[in-house]
Amino acid sequence: LNRLASINNGRITCGDGDYGIVVLYKQRRIEPDALMNLHKFVNQGGKLLVVGSVPLEVAAAGKPDSVVSEAMHSLFDSLRTNGTGVLSQKLKGSVIFIKGDSEDEIATALESFDTRNGSDLRIEPYQDSAVFVHRQTAQADIFFLSNPGEKAITFTAKLRTMYGSVTEMDPVSGRISRKRSVSSMHGKSEYKVVTVSLPARGSTFLIATNRFAAGTKWEQLGTTCTVTFPNLRWIINFTGDNPPPTVTTSNLQSWTEWNGAKHYSGDAVYRTTLQYDRQKAKRIELQFEAVHEAAEVKVNGKVVGGVWCPPYSLDVTSALKSGANKIEIRVGNVMANRYIGMPQEDLKPLRAVFGNRFPDPQERAVMRVPLPSGLIGPMKLNILK
């Protein structure tokens, strides 16, 4: 906020992001520069949500000057006096304070900022794993929705848009289809209402426009034959910092089960040779039971794509040949596994200088064992005729 962001007309611009709401989470002290920037932001019409605690002091050497003190008073005095749920009226923008920090309480508070004009996208019922990004062009509103969670979700999406039709595009396959939508009003804003289903780790684009993009023509496929390869010999080399020893196995399980790899975070390269008698097929897909977290797949030296979400498959038709096929898959997992394997941090030196601004990390309480990592289950080929 102090070094990289610019504030104009109650909006904060940082990189390609443009924000009208700032959340101040459990801050008891605040830096003078950050305070002045927040004051400028709210005074121009920006919205500030204060969660858990109201800042009580300025983190400055000596007594803050009168300008800083006045900014502190105008932003936070009424919140300290009146308590939770109070809307500050001293500035052009809005400041709301809530004592609770649950996701539902924060979501409700954020919604209250938009009672007049409505938010860009409303998700009903609330989904804690659903996230979105909204971008606009001269002729369309583009919404990218993602579900980074481990369970499939279905919900109603209300898109604030002036355009008449909504199309959906699958970012993995490129399939485009028209969505059934109805119009709905919220305050003074018109919404297009559609139903969205996202698999675990799935995502989609919703494009509101006055022009319907014709869907790609897809050839009707016949029967599917699945061939499983449970006895392939895989050689796995770890390539990150402090890599575990190389593993040779036919049992593709989470590498957290292997010696020395329990808390490893980084990349691993899986290599094997697949003997395959090429059959006449319209499409051949390579598939795994699961991939944690993302993988790049090469067949005979050719990059055929990436895998990161169910059904953990991709088209290898153009690269697969009869005879010996070299398969190379680079997989990366999450940083959290390494973190929970590290010693507990000593926060006393930081607190001695800056005060109790650094709560004890909650990661180890939430995640007591490492998350699954790598390729899971035997490799399969789905042959679509």
Side-chain angles (χ1 to χ4, degrees):
L1 181 61
N2 296 338
R3 295 183 295 108
L4 302 177
S6 60
I7 302 170
N8 294 288
N9 299 318
R11 308 288 298 183
I12 293 177
T13 303
C14 187
D16 62 355
D18 181 36
Y19 310 97
I21 299 176
V22 171
V23 178
L24 197 63
Y25 187 79
K26 292 187 176 180
Q27 293 294 314
R28 307 298 292 183
R29 306 176 79 204
I30 187 168
E31 302 288 341
D33 290 343
L35 172 65
M36 296 307 299
N37 279 321
L38 284 177
H39 185 271
K40 178 181 178 181
F41 166 68
V42 176
N43 202 33
Q44 292 182 1
K47 301 174 178 67
L48 175 64
L49 175 60
V50 183
V51 178
S53 59
V54 178
L56 298 175
E57 59 182 325
V58 178
K63 186 178 179 179
D65 62 35
S66 59
V67 176
V68 173
S69 296
E70 176 57 31
M72 188 79 167
H73 293 321
S74 62
L75 276 176
F76 303 121
D77 269 7
S78 65
L79 304 183
R80 285 195 291 268
T81 301
N82 298 313
T84 185
V86 175
L87 185 66
S88 175
Q89 301 292 347
K90 288 189 175 184
L91 302 168
K92 183 178 178 181
S94 306
V95 183
I96 292 179
F97 169 53
I98 57 172
K99 290 182 179 178
D101 64 349
S102 70
E103 291 178 343
D104 285 344
E105 289 172 293
I106 292 174
T108 299
L110 291 174
E111 282 287 327
S112 70
F113 280 132
D114 295 300
T115 53
R116 187 167 64 92
N117 292 322
S119 55
D120 287 350
L121 184 145
R122 302 169 66 86
I123 293 175
E124 299 175 0
Y126 172 75
Q127 305 288 331
D128 59 4
S129 65
V131 296
F132 79 94
V133 174
H134 175 212
R135 293 292 183 264
Q136 293 176 302
T137 70
Q139 296 181 329
D141 281 304
I142 302 171
F143 298 85
F144 176 74
L145 293 88
S146 176
N147 170 26
E150 295 296 326
K151 295 181 179 179
I153 55 176
T154 298
F155 54 88
T156 296
K158 297 183 176 180
L159 318 177
R160 185 170 66 176
T161 182
M162 61 183 286
Y163 299 107
S165 66
V166 179
T167 61
E168 182 172 17
M169 185 180 78
D170 185 323
V172 178
S173 68
R175 291 175 185 265
I176 299 173
S177 59
R178 190 167 188 171
K179 295 288 286 185
R180 290 181 177 271
S181 65
V182 296
S183 296
S184 173
M185 296 297 296
H186 180 81
K188 296 182 179 181
S189 297
E190 181 176 357
Y191 286 80
K192 290 297 180 183
V193 184
V194 299
T195 299
V196 177
S197 295
L198 294 176
R201 305 188 187 189
S203 58
T204 193
F205 284 98
L206 296 178
I207 305 167
T209 181
N210 287 331
R211 308 166 93 190
F212 172 61
T216 304
K217 292 183 178 180
W218 294 91
E219 186 177 13
Q220 184 66 39
L221 299 174
T223 58
T224 300
C225 172
T226 298
V227 182
T228 304
F229 301 89
N231 299 316
L232 283 178
R233 180 176 176 270
W234 292 89
I235 299 175
I236 300 98
N237 297 105
F238 296 91
T239 61
D241 294 335
N242 302 312
T246 297
V247 172
T248 301
T249 183
S250 296
N251 180 21
L252 291 181
Q253 60 181 350
S254 172
W255 73 51
T256 58
E257 303 295 324
W258 296 338
N259 183 41
K262 182 176 182 179
H263 292 109
Y264 172 76
S265 292
D267 290 355
V269 179
Y270 291 66
R271 294 182 176 90
T272 192
T273 299
L274 171 68
Q275 294 291 335
Y276 174 65
D277 182 13
R278 177 74 185 243
Q279 305 176 34
K280 185 177 181 180
K282 293 180 178 178
R283 188 162 78 240
I284 303 173
E285 297 176 349
L286 180 148
Q287 183 178 23
F288 288 93
E289 180 180 319
V291 176
H292 297 288
E293 294 296 317
E296 179 190 70
V297 179
K298 292 182 180 180
V299 177
N300 296 318
K302 178 182 179 180
V303 176
V304 292
V307 182
W308 65 91
C309 63
Y312 303 109
S313 64
L314 77 167
D315 189 342
V316 296
T317 311
S318 63
L320 204 65
K321 64 182 183 180
S322 291
N325 291 268
K326 293 188 179 299
I327 310 294
E328 179 180 310
I329 305 174
R330 179 178 292 271
V331 186
N333 70 336
V334 295
M335 192 65 179
N337 286 7
R338 180 178 179 183
Y339 176 78
I340 66 170
M342 296 169 65
Q344 186 78 36
E345 301 87 346
D346 181 7
L347 298 177
K348 291 180 181 177
L350 280 175
R351 290 169 176 164
V353 176
F354 297 103
N356 192 20
R357 298 174 59 192
F358 303 92
D360 291 331
Q362 299 299 307
E363 286 84 357
R364 291 180 177 85
V366 174
M367 196 180 103
R368 299 184 182 277
V369 297
L371 294 173
S373 301
L375 301 179
I376 309 296
M379 190 180 77
K380 300 177 182 179
L381 289 181
N382 298 320
I383 304 165
L384 294 89
K385 299 181 179 180

